Amino acid sequence: MPASRLALGLTKLGELGFKPIKRPGSARCFVGELQCAKGPVKVRLEISDWDFTIYPTLVILEHPAFLPALTPHVSGDGVQCYFMQGRVVLDRYRPDHAIWQCIEQAQRELDRLSGSTTYREREFEQEFGANWEIGQRPLPAPVLLAEATGDGAVPCFGITVDDGLYVIAASDEAQVKALAQARGWPAPRRMKVGTYIVRSTRSPTLPGTLPATIADMFAWIKSWDPTAMERIHAVLGQREWLGFKAVQFLIDSPAGWFGFFFDLNSNRTLMHQRKPSGYRQHLYGKGHELPITRVSVRQISPDFIHSRNLQFPSLKDRRITLVGCGAIGGYLAQALVKLGAGSGTGSLTLIDPDELGPGNLGRHFLGMDSLYKPKAVALRETLIRQFPHTRIVAEPRRAAYPSDIAGDLVIDATGEEAVSEAINANRRTKSGTEGVPVLHTWIVGNGECVQALWVDQRKYACFRCMRRNDDPRRSQRFPVIDHDPETRVVGCTAYTPYAVSAPMSSSALAIDMVIDWLKGDVSPRFRSRYIEGAGARKIKNQNVSPLEGCPGCSVPSS
């Protein structure tokens, strides 16, 4: 930063009563006071980035008496969160104004937190995860939560790696083994930790401090959800938990997952084997002397992974067939998996007869590690490494008709018109039925345009309707380019060159139509997207009517 602009920032800090201090590290540090409504608050301001891509750090040095010990947006180390990262853009050319904005906002936020219990409770609920996981010392122990169905007991596994121990709770051990294999970790081992899922429909209320003992935890849970505490009480009345070295409860609430665990006394577990309620009574009676460890729950289940970013149902439980694992199909397959294809009871079937050659690498999702492997097989291997829970079937062959035109959705990403015609002709496996919906997607010319057609109902065009019947050359019904695309001949084969952006765009177009299907409305069923500046005719996105006399959809001539 130029000295003149730096001087502006330093001058403003002086005007606001902040003085420089020396501290280890590269950040410039200043000490001053926030002039809050209920009194001054001594703070330290640390500026490590004078471009202000990262907000200055503000640390409360002396927790004021007018704020509760547990205050939202203030960590156990006194670090105050005053702006949500990325929400406010500070002006790097006006450091004096940027610094004033930060101090003003920090002061305003403390006034809100000290002035309204309702506001504190709301902020605590909205940022419960941050308060529970990183807000207070000591930090909680992390637990990964895979698929866990219903309430009650769930197995707990441990995987020891170089950077420590991963603890995973999961109903399905195969899912944990698949995760370990995908990461190259050792095989998981069952842990002697009784793990129980408790679900609550109520959000946790703001306590004075975060619970540190069994008594604190039980009293707090009972205060905001007596029913959840009754479930915990019921678990502690069973004999099963006495067989473990420790017990942990993972709680699912509207504010997010969290948990706690406590160690068991081996002498007491033996003493109360016949009557576990005796140990439970001991926990109630001596709970203020028995420490707990907070647990942060980090979800890794397929439902969480594939639904977290969606505002509509995922592809979970759907049976999807993707014909063509080339340039388009590679990107499309990964996108389908990220939308949930192959999860739950669903499956993703990949069909392609070709191997991945050197000429494919410049525009394919797969890389050199898949060279000379069947595309369908290599694609499955790569996706399983990325998402080991996914059910993917690789079929390194040509599509078979009509047996492959089955399931909930068939996607034709071959870009080969003859194959698309065959799929189209065999879509209706039973006379008089609509058949399986089919999505065709392809690249026009040398990538000037990508198009997609959704075929599902007789009142809309099928794939064959996109070619004219009154022309022996079967010209396009909706021509996009007026010239033949460039082709290159290698030996006895020819290919159409286009950059990697074209199959990526084609995949994105197809995925958007799949998303519309999940939302319940695929219209418009025929869509086109263009590269900027391409010499192509613009075609309106629309629901196309069947072509009169089309042999593909058997619309009778008038």
Side-chain angles (χ1 to χ4, degrees):
M1 172 181 286
S4 58
R5 288 213 299 270
L6 179 61
L8 284 174
L10 297 176
T11 300
K12 174 56 69 173
L13 283 164
E15 292 174 358
L16 295 171
F18 281 76
K19 298 180 180 180
I21 61 169
K22 289 185 178 181
R23 280 182 60 81
S26 57
R28 291 202 179 203
C29 299
F30 307 85
V31 171
E33 291 183 340
L34 302 181
Q35 302 303 320
C36 296
K38 293 188 176 182
V41 178
K42 188 175 181 181
V43 298
R44 181 174 70 245
L45 189 71
E46 303 174 358
I47 306 178
S48 59
D49 177 15
W50 288 87
D51 287 321
F52 298 107
T53 60
I54 301 173
Y55 299 137
T57 299
L58 191 143
V59 182
I60 297 176
L61 299 177
E62 299 173 5
H63 196 88
F66 58 77
L67 284 176
L70 179 59
T71 300
H73 308 313
V74 179
S75 77
D77 295 329
V79 177
Q80 182 186 354
C81 173
Y82 52 89
F83 281 139
M84 187 178 296
Q85 187 63 41
R87 180 66 59 85
V88 176
V89 178
L90 301 177
D91 191 345
R92 67 184 303 276
Y93 297 103
R94 298 177 60 196
D96 52 338
H97 186 267
I99 290 168
W100 172 83
Q101 274 185 280
C102 295
I103 293 175
E104 179 74 9
Q105 175 63 19
Q107 178 180 307
R108 185 183 300 116
E109 188 60 28
L110 290 184
D111 283 342
R112 289 175 181 168
L113 291 167
S114 63
S116 171
T117 302
T118 302
Y119 180 73
R120 286 200 305 273
E121 290 177 346
R122 188 187 70 192
E123 294 300 289
F124 176 78
E125 180 180 338
Q126 289 182 349
E127 298 191 3
F128 175 77
N131 283 283
W132 186 262
E133 292 192 14
I134 63 174
Q136 305 296 321
R137 300 289 180 178
L139 294 177
V143 170
L144 303 181
L145 179 61
E147 202 75 56
T149 55
D151 289 2
V154 61
C156 190
F157 304 88
I159 303 177
T160 303
V161 294
D162 292 340
D163 57 351
L165 173 68
Y166 285 89
V167 178
I168 306 174
S171 299
D172 185 359
E173 183 174 1
Q175 200 175 99
V176 183
K177 289 181 177 179
L179 171 64
Q181 185 176 12
R183 290 289 285 112
W185 289 340
R189 54 182 173 81
R190 288 288 289 266
M191 298 183 69
K192 296 287 287 183
V193 178
T195 303
Y196 300 89
I197 302 293
V198 175
R199 301 187 191 273
S200 171
T201 58
R202 300 182 182 182
S203 293
T205 55
L206 176 63
T209 58
L210 290 182
T213 67
I214 290 177
D216 293 342
M217 179 61 71
F218 286 179
W220 178 54
I221 295 174
K222 186 176 181 179
S223 70
W224 54 267
D225 192 346
T227 302
M229 190 59 229
E230 288 175 6
R231 295 193 183 102
I232 294 173
H233 178 86
V235 168
L236 297 177
Q238 301 169 5
R239 184 173 290 106
E240 178 191 35
W241 67 281
L242 295 177
F244 297 106
K245 294 182 178 180
V247 172
Q248 66 179 350
F249 290 92
L250 307 181
I251 302 174
D252 179 17
S253 80
W257 282 89
F258 68 102
F260 67 97
F261 82 83
F262 54 89
D263 294 320
L264 297 180
N265 182 297
S266 58
N267 292 328
R268 284 199 170 273
T269 57
L270 290 174
M271 183 188 311
H272 297 289
Q273 279 294 325
R274 292 189 176 183
K275 193 176 181 181
S277 60
Y279 201 148
R280 179 178 64 189
Q281 196 59 39
H282 169 72
L283 296 179
Y284 289 152
K286 296 292 185 179
H288 62 283
E289 301 174 4
L290 304 174
I292 57 111
T293 297
R294 297 197 321 281
V295 169
S296 69
V297 180
R298 303 172 186 177
Q299 296 186 70
I300 58 169
S301 69
D303 279 354
F304 173 78
I305 292 169
H306 299 303
S307 299
R308 179 179 182 269
N309 297 302
L310 305 185
Q311 297 172 303
F312 48 86
S314 73
L315 288 171
K316 179 183 178 181
D317 300 331
R318 307 271 189 162
R319 294 172 298 154
I320 311 294
T321 299
L322 176 62
V323 182
C325 300
I328 300 172
Y331 294 105
L332 190 47
Q334 189 194 46
L336 289 168
V337 169
K338 290 186 175 183
L339 274 179
S343 64
T345 59
S347 62
L348 174 61
T349 300
L350 307 176
I351 300 175
D352 194 297
D354 297 332
E355 292 183 347
L356 187 76
N360 303 133
L361 295 176
R363 62 189 190 190
H364 204 284
F365 166 73
L366 296 172
M368 192 72 76
D369 58 334
S370 299
L371 190 63
Y372 298 125
K373 288 185 178 180
K375 291 177 182 176
V377 173
L379 194 53
R380 179 189 181 277
E381 290 175 351
T382 298
L383 294 175
I384 289 294
R385 283 196 299 270
Q386 296 176 353
F387 302 95
H389 56 264
T390 307
R391 184 180 292 103
I392 302 176
V393 178
E395 298 284 356
R397 57 171 175 78
R398 295 189 178 278
Y401 314 110
S403 58
D404 286 331
I405 317 302
D408 296 303
L409 175 64
V410 173
I411 303 177
D412 163 29
T414 63
E416 297 181 25
E417 188 172 353
V419 176
S420 301
E421 287 271 24
I423 292 172
N424 184 70
N426 286 275
R427 189 180 72 82
R428 296 190 185 93
T429 57
K430 294 181 180 179
S431 177
T433 64
E434 291 293 356
V436 179
V438 174
L439 171 59
H440 303 272
T441 184
W442 63 92
I443 297 168
V444 176
N446 297 111
E448 292 93 338
C449 170
V450 296
Q451 294 183 312
L453 177 71
W454 186 279
V455 180
D456 61 345
Q457 301 177 37
R458 289 180 182 272
K459 64 179 180 178
Y460 301 117
C462 74
F463 185 82
R464 182 61 177 81
C465 291
M466 308 309 287
R467 292 283 185 178
R468 302 188 65 85
N469 290 323
D470 56 0
D471 181 353
R473 295 178 301 173
R474 298 174 56 251
S475 58
Q476 294 180 7
R477 184 176 175 184
F478 301 100
V480 175
I481 56 176
D482 297 323
H483 60 276
D484 292 331
E486 177 190 345
T487 58
R488 295 176 184 172
V489 178
V490 179
C492 296
T493 62
Y495 70 96
T496 304
Y498 49 76
V500 65
S501 56
M504 295 175 76
S505 181
S506 181
S507 170
L509 176 59
I511 282 294
D512 282 344
M513 296 182 77
V514 172
I515 288 172
D516 287 342
W517 175 56
L518 292 171
K519 290 179 177 179
D521 184 7
V522 192
S523 296
R525 286 167 169 75
F526 176 46
R527 306 183 191 182
S528 305
R529 288 183 184 171
Y530 301 84
I531 189 172
E532 291 297 324
R537 185 179 292 106
K538 303 298 182 184
I539 306 297
K540 178 183 177 181
N541 291 341
Q542 57 192 292
N543 283 327
V544 180
S545 299
L547 186 65
E548 191 171 344
C550 171
C553 55
S554 302
V555 176
S557 301
S558 58

